[in-house]
Amino acid sequence: MPAALLSAIGQYAIPDFKVRPGSLSILLLGITLIVLFEVRRTGRVRNLLWLPLLFILWANLHIQFVYGLFVIGLFAAVVLLESFARRLGTNWFTSQSPPLSAAYVVAVMSVCGLATLITPYTYHTYQVAWQYAHSTAVYDYILEMRAMNFHWPEHYVRLLLVMAACFALGQRRSRNLFAIALLAISALIGFHQQRDTWFMVLVSIATIGDAYFAEKQVWQEGLPRFTREKHIVASLVAVLLIVSIVRYIPSSQESLLLKVGEGFPVKACNAILGNHLPPPIFNPLNWGGFLTWYLPDYPVAIDGRTDLYGDEITIRQYKVWDGELPPGKEPTLVHARTLLLGSRTGLAEALRETPGYRLVYDDGMAAVFERMVGPDIGTPQ
């Protein structure tokens, strides 16, 4: 029951929880935290041997494997610090958990780091992560990269989760340096930018769950590892997973496009294809990834790979959308023959009154314009 409650709270607290590549990082970080907290409680360091395999998978699926690698690094740093403290005769941070082999943990961490290089991009993935971390455009213009403004209920739920995790540590008078440091760092990251609040939420839930199981002494060495209750819970989770797959994963291309059309301009793209509108296309950033999949013959103006386009192009695009720059200052708009815009954007309203642009389609979500060419059509200003 507590696990189901925490799961429900976590799903509500994680922003824009959808099936997308980022969801894999949420799942894999959750598994990583389960392994690390169990090793911390029981001292069974052999369980860490599963992590390199997990990181091979993770590095090939989503770039936020770097968060998982950071967690492993923090775990290893704490184990090293505790080992050094024991040599000095200080056990203030180590009296509540069994000692761990520092050499073993560091070796596993090193193998995990090497495992992340087993991708088609090898070490170049870290270059992309570094560019994302130092990009100024994403923090100035992309809303999910900004800090929480506490205008929404889920913002307060995240804060309460962190407070509950702190209370769980304080109530036990915990000296778990790993849990304390991880919770503090995750809170700094989560309150700094909304996109990564999932990291803070998962760490908070893991901290609360660890405190709950420690109180119940479920993980003591003398108890059987798999009780009847655990078999029942595991079976229920498996059934719920199968039901969710059948219920939420589309079974045909038509149902897939119907589901995708709830958030992306599928009908507008069909209008572009049906009217044989010419490329290239001008589009907002958040639709770029979808367009590269659905309209592969139409080169997009921009997509979510801000590291590829660079800050200058990304910022210029946003300034055009916000009306800070005239359309004639953006080359991708000037040279675009087809424009796919949000129906209620200021740019769409302006083009309705601009000579040389023909409104082809508008469904309330997206508007499609064709830029007419000829001797009497001027460059947009």
Side-chain angles (χ1 to χ4, degrees):
M1 184 62 184
L5 179 60
L6 282 175
S7 177
I9 295 174
Q11 184 168 350
Y12 178 79
I14 294 176
D16 196 23
F17 188 83
K18 296 178 181 178
V19 179
R20 57 180 186 177
S23 303
L24 296 171
S25 285
I26 296 175
L27 172 63
L28 295 175
L29 179 66
I31 296 173
T32 302
L33 291 174
I34 290 173
V35 172
L36 293 180
F37 274 97
E38 181 180 358
V39 169
R40 183 76 185 182
R41 283 193 304 267
T42 64
R44 291 194 290 263
V45 291
R46 288 188 177 183
N47 291 345
L48 295 174
L49 294 177
W50 291 103
L51 292 180
L53 298 176
L54 182 143
F55 274 92
I56 293 176
L57 176 65
W58 197 347
N60 282 276
L61 293 175
H62 197 248
I63 196 170
Q64 286 185 313
F65 73 87
V66 293
Y67 276 147
L69 203 58
F70 164 76
V71 172
I72 295 288
L74 179 64
F75 186 84
V78 168
V79 171
L80 280 172
L81 180 61
E82 291 174 346
S83 177
F84 181 72
R86 280 194 297 269
R87 291 181 181 180
L88 296 178
T90 303
N91 63 349
W92 191 79
F93 279 109
T94 61
S95 59
Q96 293 178 323
S97 59
L100 302 178
S101 169
Y104 195 99
V105 173
V106 171
V108 172
M109 180 201 70
S110 302
V111 174
C112 288
L114 293 174
T116 63
L117 301 178
I118 307 177
T119 72
Y121 309 102
T122 62
Y123 67 90
H124 296 289
T125 309
Y126 288 96
Q127 294 177 336
V128 175
W130 180 264
Q131 291 171 354
Y132 273 128
H134 289 80
S135 173
T136 59
V138 295
Y139 293 103
D140 293 336
Y141 290 95
I142 300 179
L143 292 178
E144 67 175 10
M145 300 300 292
R146 299 177 183 176
M148 290 183 288
N149 54 22
F150 290 93
H151 291 172
W152 302 96
E154 57 266 28
H155 293 182
Y156 293 94
V157 173
R158 297 167 198 161
L159 175 61
L160 290 173
L161 266 177
V162 176
M163 294 172 63
C166 292
F167 177 80
L169 291 173
Q171 185 185 39
R172 294 180 56 210
R173 293 176 172 80
S174 175
R175 301 174 188 176
N176 187 341
L177 184 59
F178 170 67
I180 295 171
L182 183 60
L183 182 61
I185 294 171
S186 68
L188 288 174
I189 294 173
F191 286 117
H192 177 65
Q193 56 188 32
Q194 296 185 54
R195 187 196 66 176
D196 293 336
T197 51
W198 63 269
F199 181 61
M200 177 182 70
V201 169
L202 279 188
V203 171
S204 299
I205 290 175
T207 304
I208 296 170
D210 181 65
Y212 173 80
F213 283 117
E215 287 293 329
K216 294 297 182 180
Q217 297 182 347
V218 176
W219 299 94
Q220 286 183 347
E221 288 288 338
L223 293 180
R225 295 185 61 188
F226 293 98
T227 62
R228 180 180 179 183
E229 180 183 353
K230 291 181 182 179
H231 282 297
I232 294 174
V233 172
S235 301
L236 289 175
V237 170
V239 170
L240 288 175
L241 180 61
I242 295 173
V243 171
S244 299
I245 292 174
V246 174
R247 173 66 178 82
Y248 293 105
I249 296 182
S251 58
S252 64
Q253 184 176 4
E254 291 75 15
S255 57
L256 171 64
L257 292 178
L258 185 64
K259 187 69 176 178
V260 171
E262 296 175 1
F264 293 97
V266 174
K267 295 180 180 179
C269 291
N270 291 337
I272 292 174
L273 295 173
N275 287 275
H276 304 288
L277 299 182
I281 194 170
F282 182 78
N283 60 278
L285 181 147
N286 58 325
W287 287 347
F290 165 74
L291 294 175
T292 57
W293 168 70
Y294 199 69
L295 299 178
D297 295 329
Y298 287 77
V300 297
I302 195 170
D303 56 51
R305 297 171 295 174
T306 54
D307 61 295
L308 175 64
Y309 294 93
D311 285 352
E312 180 182 353
I313 293 176
T314 304
I315 291 173
R316 194 173 65 229
Q317 287 269 340
Y318 274 102
K319 285 185 175 181
V320 169
W321 284 100
D322 293 343
E324 299 178 28
L325 283 178
K329 297 294 185 179
E330 174 49 46
T332 57
L333 193 153
V334 171
H335 298 294
R337 293 293 310 279
T338 300
L339 295 90
L340 178 62
L341 316 174
S343 296
R344 297 179 179 84
T345 59
L347 186 56
E349 294 297 330
L351 291 184
R352 286 185 173 90
E353 308 296 330
T354 302
Y357 289 89
R358 178 174 70 94
L359 179 63
V360 178
Y361 177 85
D362 190 345
D363 61 5
M365 172 188 288
V368 177
F369 294 86
E370 180 184 10
R371 184 172 70 86
M372 313 304 294
V373 295
D376 299 327
I377 304 301
T379 299
Q381 301 296 325

